[in-house]
Amino acid sequence: MANSTAYSFINVSATLDGQTVQGLWDGDDAIVVTQGADAGTGLVGADGSGIFSISADKSAQISVKVQHTSPTHRLLMQKHKRQQALGSVAAAFPFSFIDTGSNEGGSSDRVFIMTKPTDSKGKNAVVREWVLWTADWNAEIPNNG
């Protein structure tokens, strides 16, 4: 018999510095984590023998898309101001997200604001995309459905 599963964003929760991320933008890419490097690099020598070098890079960029009226957008504006004022590791803050249905997600104790969103005004509301960066992303191991 075929195996059936389901997905709902209702099962996804994210926290930023201990506060629930609120006011996410619409779409399939409200939260996106992009690893900083490939898991490794393969090399094949002239005689055909190979070696795989495993990367120690655990960095990641985390894109969080929110509405301009989002409390999370306001919090990130405050965090950016603090980051600029301190200019040190003390400005880092924790971020995590989890899909409780599959256990996919991850966390980091120290993220920094890498890119602020553009501020655009016009006929319709426009997304505010924040890009966070961490040197140590800890991915969760998904369930087997």
Coordinates of all heavy atoms in Angstrom, one line a residue, residues 9 11-24 30-31 33 62-64 66 70-73 75-76 79 92-100 104-112 132 137 140:
F9 N 2.1 24.5 7.0 CA 3.0 25.5 7.6 C 2.5 25.8 9.0 O 3.3 26.3 9.8 CB 3.0 26.8 6.8 CG 4.1 27.7 7.2 CD1 5.4 27.5 6.8 CD2 3.9 28.8 8.1 CE1 6.5 28.3 7.2 CE2 4.9 29.6 8.5 CZ 6.2 29.4 8.0
N11 N 2.4 23.7 11.2 CA 3.3 22.9 12.1 C 4.7 23.5 12.2 O 5.6 22.9 12.8 CB 3.4 21.5 11.5 CG 2.1 20.8 11.6 OD1 1.3 21.0 12.5 ND2 1.8 19.9 10.7
V12 N 5.0 24.6 11.5 CA 6.3 25.3 11.5 C 6.3 26.4 12.5 O 5.4 27.3 12.5 CB 6.7 25.8 10.1 CG1 8.0 26.5 10.2 CG2 6.7 24.6 9.1
S13 N 7.3 26.4 13.4 CA 7.4 27.5 14.3 C 8.9 28.0 14.3 O 9.8 27.2 14.1 CB 7.0 27.1 15.7 OG 7.9 26.2 16.2
A14 N 9.1 29.3 14.4 CA 10.4 29.9 14.4 C 10.5 30.9 15.5 O 9.5 31.5 15.9 CB 10.6 30.6 13.1
T15 N 11.7 30.9 16.1 CA 11.9 31.9 17.2 C 13.2 32.7 16.9 O 14.2 32.1 16.3 CB 12.1 31.2 18.6 OG1 13.1 30.3 18.5 CG2 10.8 30.6 19.0
L16 N 13.2 33.9 17.2 CA 14.3 34.8 17.0 C 14.6 35.5 18.4 O 13.7 36.2 18.9 CB 14.0 35.9 16.0 CG 15.1 36.7 15.4 CD1 14.8 36.9 13.9 CD2 15.1 38.0 16.1
D17 N 15.7 35.2 19.0 CA 16.0 35.7 20.3 C 14.9 35.4 21.3 O 14.6 36.3 22.1 CB 16.3 37.2 20.2 CG 17.2 37.7 21.4 OD1 17.8 36.9 22.1 OD2 17.2 38.9 21.6
G18 N 14.4 34.2 21.2 CA 13.4 33.8 22.2 C 12.0 34.2 21.9 O 11.0 33.9 22.6
Q19 N 11.8 35.1 20.9 CA 10.4 35.5 20.5 C 10.0 34.8 19.3 O 10.7 34.6 18.3 CB 10.5 37.1 20.3 CG 10.8 37.8 21.6 CD 10.7 39.3 21.4 OE1 9.8 39.8 20.7 NE2 11.6 40.1 22.0
T20 N 8.7 34.5 19.2 CA 8.1 33.8 18.1 C 8.1 34.7 16.9 O 7.7 35.9 17.0 CB 6.6 33.4 18.4 OG1 6.6 32.6 19.5 CG2 6.0 32.7 17.2
V21 N 8.6 34.2 15.7 CA 8.5 35.0 14.5 C 7.1 35.1 14.0 O 6.4 34.1 13.9 CB 9.4 34.2 13.4 CG1 9.2 34.9 12.1 CG2 10.9 34.2 13.8
Q22 N 6.7 36.3 13.8 CA 5.3 36.6 13.4 C 5.2 37.5 12.2 O 6.2 38.2 11.9 CB 4.6 37.4 14.6 CG 4.5 36.6 15.8 CD 3.9 37.5 16.9 OE1 3.6 38.7 16.8 NE2 3.7 36.9 18.1
G23 N 4.1 37.4 11.5 CA 3.9 38.2 10.3 C 4.7 37.8 9.1 O 5.2 38.6 8.3
L24 N 4.9 36.5 8.9 CA 5.7 36.0 7.7 C 5.0 36.3 6.4 O 3.7 36.4 6.4 CB 5.9 34.5 7.8 CG 6.9 34.1 8.9 CD1 6.8 32.6 9.2 CD2 8.3 34.4 8.4
A30 N 9.1 31.5 2.8 CA 9.0 32.5 3.9 C 10.3 32.3 4.8 O 10.8 33.3 5.3 CB 7.8 32.2 4.7
I31 N 10.8 31.1 4.9 CA 12.0 30.9 5.7 C 12.9 29.9 4.8 O 12.4 28.9 4.4 CB 11.8 30.3 7.0 CG1 11.0 31.2 7.9 CG2 13.2 29.9 7.7 CD1 10.5 30.5 9.2
V33 N 16.9 28.3 4.5 CA 18.3 28.2 5.0 C 19.2 27.7 3.8 O 18.9 26.6 3.2 CB 18.3 27.2 6.2 CG1 19.8 27.0 6.6 CG2 17.5 27.7 7.3
I62 N 20.3 32.6 6.4 CA 18.9 32.3 6.7 C 18.1 33.5 6.2 O 18.2 34.6 6.7 CB 18.7 32.1 8.2 CG1 19.6 31.1 8.7 CG2 17.2 31.8 8.5 CD1 20.1 31.3 10.1
S63 N 17.2 33.3 5.2 CA 16.3 34.3 4.7 C 15.0 34.2 5.4 O 14.4 33.1 5.4 CB 16.1 34.1 3.2 OG 15.1 34.9 2.7
V64 N 14.6 35.3 6.0 CA 13.3 35.4 6.6 C 12.5 36.5 6.0 O 12.9 37.7 6.0 CB 13.4 35.7 8.2 CG1 12.1 35.7 8.8 CG2 14.3 34.6 8.8
V66 N 9.2 38.8 5.8 CA 8.1 39.2 6.7 C 7.3 40.4 6.1 O 7.8 41.0 5.1 CB 8.6 39.6 8.1 CG1 9.2 38.4 8.8 CG2 9.7 40.7 8.0
S70 N 5.0 43.5 10.5 CA 5.3 42.3 11.4 C 6.1 42.8 12.7 O 7.1 43.6 12.6 CB 6.2 41.3 10.6 OG 6.9 40.5 11.5
P71 N 5.8 42.2 13.8 CA 6.5 42.5 15.0 C 8.0 42.0 14.9 O 8.9 42.6 15.4 CB 5.8 41.7 16.1 CG 4.5 41.5 15.6 CD 4.6 41.4 14.1
T72 N 8.2 41.0 14.1 CA 9.5 40.4 13.8 C 10.4 41.4 13.0 O 11.6 41.6 13.3 CB 9.4 39.1 13.2 OG1 8.7 38.2 14.0 CG2 10.8 38.5 12.9
H73 N 9.7 42.1 12.1 CA 10.4 43.1 11.3 C 10.9 44.2 12.2 O 12.1 44.7 12.2 CB 9.5 43.7 10.2 CG 10.0 44.8 9.4 ND1 11.2 44.6 8.7 CD2 9.6 46.1 9.2 CE1 11.5 45.8 8.0 NE2 10.5 46.7 8.3
L75 N 11.5 44.0 15.5 CA 12.6 43.4 16.3 C 13.9 43.4 15.6 O 14.9 43.7 16.1 CB 12.2 42.0 16.8 CG 13.2 41.2 17.6 CD1 13.6 42.0 18.9 CD2 12.7 39.8 17.9
L76 N 13.9 43.0 14.3 CA 15.1 42.9 13.5 C 15.7 44.3 13.3 O 16.9 44.5 13.2 CB 14.8 42.1 12.2 CG 14.8 40.6 12.4 CD1 14.2 40.0 11.1 CD2 16.1 40.0 12.7
K79 N 17.5 45.0 16.4 CA 18.7 44.1 16.4 C 19.8 44.7 15.5 O 20.9 44.7 15.9 CB 18.4 42.7 16.0 CG 17.5 41.9 16.9 CD 18.3 41.5 18.1 CE 17.4 40.7 19.1 NZ 18.0 40.7 20.4
A92 N 25.2 39.3 18.6 CA 24.6 38.0 18.0 C 23.4 37.7 18.9 O 23.2 38.0 20.0 CB 25.6 36.9 18.0
F93 N 22.5 36.9 18.2 CA 21.3 36.4 18.9 C 20.9 35.1 18.3 O 21.3 34.7 17.2 CB 20.1 37.4 18.7 CG 19.8 37.8 17.3 CD1 18.9 37.1 16.5 CD2 20.5 38.9 16.7 CE1 18.7 37.5 15.2 CE2 20.3 39.3 15.4 CZ 19.4 38.6 14.6
P94 N 20.1 34.3 19.1 CA 19.7 32.9 18.6 C 18.6 33.0 17.6 O 17.7 33.8 17.7 CB 19.3 32.2 19.9 CG 19.0 33.3 20.9 CD 19.7 34.5 20.5
F95 N 18.6 32.0 16.7 CA 17.5 31.8 15.8 C 17.2 30.3 15.6 O 18.2 29.5 15.6 CB 17.8 32.4 14.4 CG 16.7 32.1 13.4 CD1 15.6 32.9 13.3 CD2 16.8 31.0 12.6 CE1 14.5 32.6 12.4 CE2 15.8 30.7 11.6 CZ 14.6 31.5 11.6
S96 N 16.0 29.9 15.6 CA 15.7 28.5 15.3 C 14.3 28.3 14.6 O 13.5 29.2 14.7 CB 15.6 27.7 16.6 OG 14.5 28.1 17.5
F97 N 14.1 27.2 13.9 CA 12.8 26.9 13.4 C 12.7 25.4 13.3 O 13.7 24.7 13.2 CB 12.5 27.6 12.0 CG 13.1 27.0 10.8 CD1 12.3 26.2 10.0 CD2 14.5 27.1 10.5 CE1 12.8 25.6 8.8 CE2 15.0 26.5 9.4 CZ 14.2 25.8 8.5
I98 N 11.5 25.0 13.3 CA 11.2 23.5 13.3 C 9.8 23.2 12.7 O 8.9 24.0 12.9 CB 11.3 22.9 14.8 CG1 11.3 21.4 14.8 CG2 10.2 23.5 15.6 CD1 12.6 20.8 14.4
D99 N 9.8 22.2 11.9 CA 8.5 21.7 11.4 C 8.2 20.5 12.3 O 8.9 19.5 12.2 CB 8.6 21.3 9.9 CG 7.4 20.6 9.4 OD1 6.5 20.2 10.1 OD2 7.3 20.6 8.1
T100 N 7.2 20.6 13.2 CA 7.0 19.6 14.1 C 6.4 18.3 13.5 O 6.4 17.2 14.1 CB 6.0 20.0 15.2 OG1 4.8 20.5 14.6 CG2 6.6 21.2 16.1
E104 N 12.1 18.6 10.6 CA 13.1 19.4 9.8 C 13.2 20.8 10.4 O 12.2 21.4 10.9 CB 12.6 19.5 8.3 CG 13.0 18.4 7.5 CD 12.7 18.7 6.0 OE1 11.5 19.1 5.8 OE2 13.5 18.4 5.2
G105 N 14.4 21.3 10.3 CA 14.6 22.7 10.8 C 16.0 22.8 11.3 O 16.9 22.0 10.8
G106 N 16.3 23.7 12.2 CA 17.6 23.8 12.7 C 17.7 25.0 13.6 O 16.7 25.7 13.9
S107 N 18.9 25.3 14.1 CA 19.1 26.4 15.0 C 20.6 26.8 15.1 O 21.5 26.1 14.6 CB 18.7 25.9 16.4 OG 19.6 24.9 16.9
S108 N 20.7 28.0 15.6 CA 22.1 28.6 15.9 C 22.0 29.5 17.1 O 21.0 30.2 17.2 CB 22.6 29.4 14.7 OG 23.9 29.9 15.0
D109 N 23.0 29.5 17.9 CA 23.0 30.3 19.1 C 23.5 31.7 18.7 O 23.2 32.7 19.5 CB 23.9 29.8 20.2 CG 23.3 28.5 20.8 OD1 22.1 28.3 20.8 OD2 24.1 27.7 21.4
R110 N 24.2 31.9 17.6 CA 24.7 33.2 17.2 C 24.5 33.5 15.8 O 25.2 33.0 14.9 CB 26.2 33.2 17.5 CG 26.6 33.2 18.9 CD 28.1 33.4 19.0 NE 28.5 33.3 20.4 CZ 29.8 33.1 20.8 NH1 30.7 33.1 19.8 NH2 30.1 33.1 22.0
V111 N 23.5 34.3 15.5 CA 23.3 34.8 14.1 C 23.5 36.3 14.1 O 23.3 36.9 15.2 CB 21.9 34.4 13.6 CG1 21.7 32.9 13.5 CG2 20.8 35.1 14.3
F112 N 23.8 36.8 13.0 CA 24.0 38.2 12.7 C 23.2 38.6 11.6 O 22.9 37.8 10.7 CB 25.5 38.5 12.4 CG 26.4 38.2 13.5 CD1 27.0 36.9 13.6 CD2 26.8 39.1 14.5 CE1 27.9 36.6 14.7 CE2 27.6 38.8 15.5 CZ 28.2 37.6 15.6
L132 N 20.0 36.6 7.5 CA 20.8 36.4 8.7 C 22.0 35.5 8.3 O 21.9 34.7 7.4 CB 20.0 35.7 9.8 CG 18.6 36.4 10.1 CD1 17.9 35.6 11.1 CD2 18.8 37.9 10.5
W137 N 25.5 26.5 11.9 CA 24.1 26.1 11.7 C 24.0 24.6 12.1 O 24.7 23.8 11.7 CB 23.6 26.3 10.3 CG 22.1 25.9 10.1 CD1 21.7 24.8 9.5 CD2 21.0 26.5 10.6 NE1 20.3 24.7 9.5 CE2 19.9 25.8 10.3 CE3 20.8 27.7 11.4 CZ2 18.6 26.2 10.6 CZ3 19.5 28.1 11.8 CH2 18.4 27.3 11.4
E140 N 18.4 19.9 12.1 CA 17.7 18.8 12.8 C 17.6 17.6 11.9 O 17.5 17.8 10.7 CB 16.3 19.2 13.2 CG 16.3 20.3 14.3 CD 16.8 19.9 15.6 OE1 16.7 18.7 16.0 OE2 17.4 20.7 16.4

